[in-house]
């Protein structure tokens, strides 16, 4: 029962890619994903989860073949991804304010 780190990252943070694990893109100093690209990709993934959640809610209300557990799971995934992005934003603002207050 071994799993790679990329699988663990996707397990704990659905919709948010693990940091720096993308062999197809180049950028940054080490050839990995640049910070800007990582943030944009994460935002897109959060948005996609929100859209999927909205579609699941609509499908459930319209009587499509979707269970309440699937709707709830979709909503929780979108909620978790959004909360993670808000925390990332808070940490970035905190780091920015700390750097701004440094005296040269």
């Amino acid at each position: 029962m071994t799993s790679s780190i990329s699988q663990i990252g996707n397990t704990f943070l659905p919709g948010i890619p693990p940091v720096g694990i993308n062999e197809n893109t180049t950028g940054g100093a080490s050839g990995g994903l640049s910070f800007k690209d990582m943030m944009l990709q994460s935002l897109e993934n959060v948005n996609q989860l929100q859209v999927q959640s909205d579609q699941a809610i609509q499908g459930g209300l319209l009587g499509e073949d979707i269970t309440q557990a699937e709707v709830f799971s979709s909503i929780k995934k979108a909620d978790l991804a959004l909360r993670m992005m808000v925390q990332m934003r808070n940490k970035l603002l905190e780091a920015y304010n700390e750097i701004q207050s440094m005296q040269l």
Side-chain angles (χ1 to χ4, degrees), residues 43-65:
L43 283 171
E44 181 60 37
N45 288 337
V46 169
N47 185 47
Q48 185 64 31
L49 283 172
Q50 181 64 41
V51 169
Q52 289 172 357
S53 175
D54 289 343
Q55 290 172 348
I57 292 170
Q58 272 187 335
L61 291 174
L62 295 175
E64 293 179 8
D65 189 27

Side-chain angles (χ1 to χ4, degrees), residues 28-93:
S30 63
L33 212 64
S34 72
F35 182 75
K36 179 186 98 173
D37 293 338
M38 182 195 68
M39 290 300 293
L40 289 174
Q41 186 178 19
S42 295
L43 283 171
E44 181 60 37
N45 288 337
V46 169
N47 185 47
Q48 185 64 31
L49 283 172
Q50 181 64 41
V51 169
Q52 289 172 357
S53 175
D54 289 343
Q55 290 172 348
I57 292 170
Q58 272 187 335
L61 291 174
L62 295 175
E64 293 179 8
D65 189 27
I66 186 168
T67 66
Q68 288 181 349
E70 290 171 332
V71 172
F72 182 72
S73 175
S74 176
I75 292 169
K76 289 306 281 184
K77 281 182 186 178
D79 181 56
L80 177 63
L82 180 63
R83 287 175 187 254
M84 182 65 178
M85 286 303 298
V86 168
Q87 288 301 317
M88 289 172 62
R89 182 208 61 180
N90 291 344
K91 289 293 183 183
L92 284 171
L93 285 174

Side-chain angles (χ1 to χ4, degrees), residues 7-18 49 77 80-81 84 88:
Q7 292 169 338
I8 292 171
N10 287 333
T11 302
F12 291 115
L13 303 172
I16 299 177
L49 283 172
K77 281 182 186 178
L80 177 63
M84 182 65 178
M88 289 172 62

